Amino acid sequence: MKRLILFCLMCLTIILTSCSQSPDYSVLEEEEIKDLPTVSGYIKELQTNKKEYQGYKIFDSADDKKVVVISSGNGKSVVKVNQVEQSSKDTAITILQTDQASEHENSYVVVQIEEIVGAFYVFERVEYEEAQ
């Protein structure tokens, strides 16, 4: 009975991992962002007029890839990409906000992804520290 349950769990894991995959993506640094004038202009707007805007915006890049700017709405934490997943129905980016203070008024992360399949989602992963 235990072997049957273990076998079913292994099969389920294999099926789930084959359904979702991690697409090709990269987190763009400041120098790379400067080469994308529309993205750079949007980030400047986030730092001046939209300091409290929390959300994302998708841009097309010159090499037929998608560029996603995800902003936190504050400068109290740094936004990092935790995971990018893609299935046949959707694309999802999971971000993580750290306790580290950002150098920006509205902290953000810029992700370049090969393509966005289906619906697009951004999730925030919350991580708690143990009290000392």
Side-chain angles (χ1 to χ4, degrees):
M1 183 68 173
K2 289 182 183 180
R3 288 185 180 184
L4 178 63
I5 293 172
L6 183 61
F7 178 74
C8 289
L9 287 174
M10 282 183 15
C11 288
L12 183 62
T13 304
I14 291 170
I15 291 170
L16 289 176
T17 55
S18 66
C19 290
S20 66
Q21 57 185 336
S22 182
D24 286 338
Y25 76 94
S26 61
V27 176
L28 300 183
E29 301 297 328
E30 297 292 328
E31 292 302 315
E32 296 167 305
I33 294 170
K34 289 179 184 176
D35 295 336
L36 303 168
T38 54
V39 175
S40 183
Y42 178 71
I43 290 171
K44 287 178 186 174
E45 187 177 335
L46 286 173
Q47 303 310 310
T48 55
N49 300 332
K50 295 184 171 185
K51 293 180 185 178
E52 296 179 4
Y53 178 74
Q54 180 180 11
Y56 67 88
K57 187 166 182 175
I58 301 171
F59 297 90
D60 293 320
S61 67
D63 51 357
D64 291 332
K65 294 182 181 181
K66 299 293 183 182
V67 176
V68 182
V69 179
I70 305 169
S71 60
S72 69
N74 66 60
K76 298 176 184 173
S77 60
V78 174
V79 180
K80 294 184 179 185
V81 174
N82 184 47
Q83 188 174 18
V84 178
E85 290 183 305
Q86 203 169 57
S87 72
S88 61
K89 296 182 180 182
D90 59 11
T91 303
I93 296 178
T94 305
I95 60 165
L96 176 66
Q97 290 193 42
T98 65
D99 290 337
Q100 182 181 2
S102 174
E103 61 187 45
H104 303 287
E105 293 285 325
N106 186 348
S107 63
Y108 63 89
V109 65
V110 180
V111 181
Q112 185 174 39
I113 189 168
E114 197 69 36
E115 69 175 326
I116 294 177
V117 176
F120 181 75
Y121 302 99
V122 175
F123 299 106
E124 182 178 357
R125 180 173 161 215
V126 179
E127 196 168 273
Y128 296 100
E129 282 190 20
E130 181 180 350
Q132 301 284 330

